[in-house]
Amino acid sequence: MHRLLQRQLKRHLEELGTSPETIPEGWENFLDAVSKAYEQADTDRFRLEHIIQQNAKELLALNSQMRAAIPDTFLRLDRQGMILDYKPGKNQRPYLSAETVTGKPLSRFLPENVSSKFLDAIAKLDHSDLDETSIFHKLADAANDDCFYEVRILPFLDEQIVAIARDISERKKAETALHRSQLKLREKTYRLSSTLADLKDTQAQLVQTEKMSGLGQLVAGIAHEINNPINFVSGNIGHIQGYIEEIVDLLELYADYYPTPSPEIQERVEEIDLDFLLEDLEKTQSSMKLGVNRIKEIVLSLRVFSRLDEAEMKEINIHEGIESTLLILNHRFKETETLAKVELTKLYGDLPPIECYAGQLNQVFMNVLANALDALDETRSLSNDKTPTIEIVTECLPNNYVAIRIGNNGPNIPYSIRDRLFDPFFTTKPVGTGTGLGLSISYQIVTDGHGGRMRCYSLPGQNTEFCIEIPIRQA
């Protein structure tokens, strides 16, 4: 009989007042069946315990193997930050050994800022419905190299926390290398863009400079070719005037001594109207002299405008450059069959000689005045009551600069394109009528070539004005 059944039966019989050695009649079979059931239960229990023990060993071994294979560092903590378990990740540089840290507070082994991050993250989990949270931190390993970690913190059971720390040092290095590579790429891209922009500016400047150089050579050549015959004519006008005066004196002397000429002479005098001829001859001489002087002034202005012999910086009279430019553009100010005359107002200040590149500044004046005339052409029809006007003002500024303001009362420049006026190749003119280089080159001449400033002012209801400011003396 099973031992447990024997004890229970003895206690039961004693309670009934029967001898424990005496088994009541008819109980033998029942007790025998119950005893076998007890024995079978023991056998099953022993087998289950063995299976459970075996499974537990296998699970512990599997857990150990898995933890050894996991690349992340494992930490198990209580809610106060006490380290209950610690396992460095596979192939990771261990910060400390498991024996050193287990059973001790986290704050003892980590810098204050890192341990505070851990405790704040634990508190965050306590006071929220989050399933997990993450923190990032940096630690120095045994070789004093910086290691970067990403830590996932998860609640475990009721009062514990699991922290899984992954070493992301290599990723950080890769990110840093990528960031540096991107910076270098952006720097190279910026340099390339800057070089390309400089190349476009240089190309534009070369094109415009070549055009202006060709124009300057043409103007200088024409001025030279005109100057030689005009000097010849101008030099002989004085002689001609003297010869004519001597001939007139001779005719008057003949009239004094021969007051009654022959009929043939008298008839010829009346036919040519000698009195009118002598009177008009003096006026003709004056007109010829005036015309020759005007041509000489034009030739001088053309030479001033071209200034091919003044490539170096030197002191000049700014007003002479403006006047020579106006002479070149004079035909565009005149009235035509379809366009009204452009009124020109000049308010010149008392300017000292300016140290500059004369030919380049004349190019600036040419570009700005030509643009002003182009703007006026849009509204200067004969039927328009508004008189098209260009105003040129020069003045000294307090900071040893001079200002040249060229304004017109044509259409305003929209604000949307005002900032692009000095960009290379930008133009609002129809295709084939503008290159977009004039103002860009002018801006470079003023700012880069002379250390000055060039601005455009254009407001509704007011004149459009280009203001050129350059120093009186170059640094």
Side-chain angles (χ1 to χ4, degrees):
M1 183 181 297
H2 194 273
R3 63 184 183 282
L4 291 177
L5 181 59
Q6 285 180 348
R7 285 198 298 270
Q8 292 175 351
L9 180 61
K10 180 180 179 181
R11 186 167 57 253
H12 180 69
L13 292 176
E14 288 177 350
E15 291 176 355
L16 294 176
T18 306
S19 171
E21 304 299 332
T22 304
I23 298 176
E25 186 179 353
W27 282 28
E28 289 85 353
N29 294 334
F30 172 76
L31 292 174
D32 185 54
V34 173
S35 177
K36 289 180 179 180
Y38 270 102
E39 291 174 355
Q40 184 63 41
D42 284 344
T43 301
D44 292 342
R45 181 172 59 81
F46 290 146
R47 186 173 69 253
L48 287 175
E49 287 178 352
H50 177 73
I51 292 173
I52 290 172
Q53 289 177 358
Q54 191 67 29
N55 288 342
K57 290 180 180 179
E58 292 177 357
L59 286 174
L60 288 173
L62 179 62
N63 178 57
S64 178
Q65 291 174 358
M66 289 179 63
R67 287 177 59 182
I70 291 175
D72 301 331
T73 296
F74 173 84
L75 278 168
R76 185 164 58 88
L77 313 165
D78 65 13
R79 298 281 174 164
Q80 288 70 44
M82 186 69 70
I83 301 173
L84 305 177
D85 194 6
Y86 169 76
K87 175 66 175 65
K90 181 182 180 183
N91 299 327
Q92 283 194 14
R93 294 164 291 183
Y95 182 63
L96 290 171
S97 65
E99 294 78 10
T100 304
V101 301
T102 302
K104 299 179 178 64
L106 189 69
S107 58
R108 182 172 175 179
F109 304 101
L110 294 177
E112 183 179 357
N113 62 323
V114 178
S115 61
S116 297
K117 281 186 179 181
F118 268 92
L119 295 177
D120 290 344
I122 294 173
K124 185 177 180 180
L125 287 176
D126 288 340
H127 298 88
S128 68
D129 297 329
L130 295 176
D131 293 331
E132 67 174 85
T133 187
S134 298
I135 62 172
F136 296 86
H137 67 85
K138 179 178 71 173
L139 291 174
D141 62 9
N144 205 30
D145 294 328
D146 286 337
C147 296
F148 295 88
Y149 293 91
E150 177 185 9
V151 184
R152 294 175 57 205
I153 300 176
L154 307 91
F156 179 67
L157 300 177
D158 291 334
E159 296 296 329
Q160 295 183 15
I161 293 293
V162 170
I164 302 172
R166 175 165 296 179
D167 189 341
I168 58 171
S169 302
E170 295 301 321
R171 191 179 83 187
K172 273 288 185 180
K173 290 179 181 178
E175 290 175 352
T176 302
L178 177 61
H179 180 66
R180 290 174 180 171
S181 176
Q182 290 174 337
L183 287 178
K184 289 181 179 178
L185 180 61
R186 280 198 292 267
E187 184 179 354
K188 289 182 179 178
T189 302
Y190 173 78
R191 287 203 302 266
L192 182 60
S193 300
S194 179
T195 302
L196 182 60
D198 291 342
L199 182 61
K200 289 179 65 177
D201 290 347
T202 302
Q203 181 185 21
Q205 190 166 3
L206 286 174
V207 171
Q208 188 73 357
T209 301
E210 185 63 26
K211 288 172 59 179
M212 293 305 296
S213 175
L215 175 61
Q217 291 177 5
L218 176 63
V219 169
I222 293 174
H224 178 72
E225 293 300 324
I226 294 176
N227 192 52
N228 287 336
I230 285 301
N231 284 336
F232 175 77
V233 173
S234 176
N236 286 289
I237 281 181
H239 298 299
I240 292 174
Q241 186 174 2
Y243 299 156
I244 291 174
E245 289 176 355
E246 290 178 356
I247 293 173
V248 171
D249 288 343
L250 179 60
L251 289 175
E252 290 176 351
L253 187 60
Y254 265 103
D256 290 340
Y257 282 96
Y258 300 99
T260 306
S262 64
E264 292 82 358
I265 294 176
Q266 184 66 35
E267 183 180 353
R268 185 60 178 168
V269 167
E270 292 176 358
E271 181 182 345
I272 66 174
D273 195 357
L274 183 60
D275 292 337
F276 171 77
L277 190 148
L278 294 175
E279 181 182 351
D280 193 55
L281 184 59
E282 185 177 354
K283 296 178 180 178
T284 301
Q285 292 177 33
S286 298
S287 297
M288 290 174 60
K289 190 174 182 180
L290 182 62
V292 168
N293 288 336
R294 177 59 178 156
I295 294 174
K296 291 176 68 176
E297 291 175 359
I298 292 173
V299 170
L300 178 61
S301 295
L302 292 176
R303 292 175 63 85
V304 169
F305 176 79
S306 62
R307 292 188 184 271
L308 293 179
D309 56 340
E310 297 181 9
E312 298 298 327
M313 185 172 289
K314 61 186 299 185
E315 292 185 352
I316 67 157
N317 185 339
I318 285 289
H319 297 149
E320 288 183 358
I322 296 174
E323 290 297 325
S324 66
T325 307
L326 289 172
L327 177 67
I328 301 296
L329 296 171
N330 184 56
H331 66 285
R332 296 196 57 186
F333 285 81
K334 295 179 180 179
E335 182 178 334
T336 67
E337 294 181 356
T338 57
L339 300 176
K341 178 183 178 182
V342 177
E343 295 292 336
L344 176 62
T345 303
K346 295 182 289 187
L347 302 174
Y348 290 165
D350 184 13
L351 303 185
I354 308 302
E355 188 178 19
C356 64
Y357 296 104
Q360 292 185 10
L361 276 189
N362 289 344
Q363 182 179 347
V364 173
F365 301 147
M366 171 70 78
N367 290 331
V368 175
L369 284 168
N371 274 277
L373 289 165
D374 289 341
L376 290 174
D377 284 349
E378 299 178 19
T379 57
R380 60 182 281 209
S381 63
L382 294 172
S383 60
N384 193 343
D385 294 335
K386 185 178 180 180
T387 302
T389 304
I390 287 180
E391 182 178 74
I392 304 175
V393 179
T394 63
E395 60 179 339
C396 283
L397 300 178
N399 53 354
N400 290 323
Y401 273 65
V402 295
I404 302 99
R405 308 180 193 277
I406 301 175
N408 69 84
N409 62 346
N412 288 112
I413 300 174
Y415 179 79
S416 58
I417 66 173
R418 208 173 302 159
D419 291 339
R420 302 179 60 195
L421 287 177
F422 303 120
D423 291 349
F425 302 105
F426 176 77
T427 180
T428 59
K429 298 175 183 177
V431 177
T433 60
T435 62
L437 295 176
L439 290 179
S440 171
I441 297 298
S442 299
Y443 185 82
Q444 291 180 16
I445 289 173
V446 173
T447 57
D448 297 341
H450 292 82
R453 299 179 288 269
M454 187 172 180
R455 303 184 183 92
C456 174
Y457 303 98
S458 185
L459 296 174
Q462 300 181 17
N463 288 356
T464 296
E465 180 183 273
F466 283 86
C467 180
I468 303 161
E469 299 177 2
I470 58 174
I472 296 174
R473 296 286 179 272
Q474 296 294 320

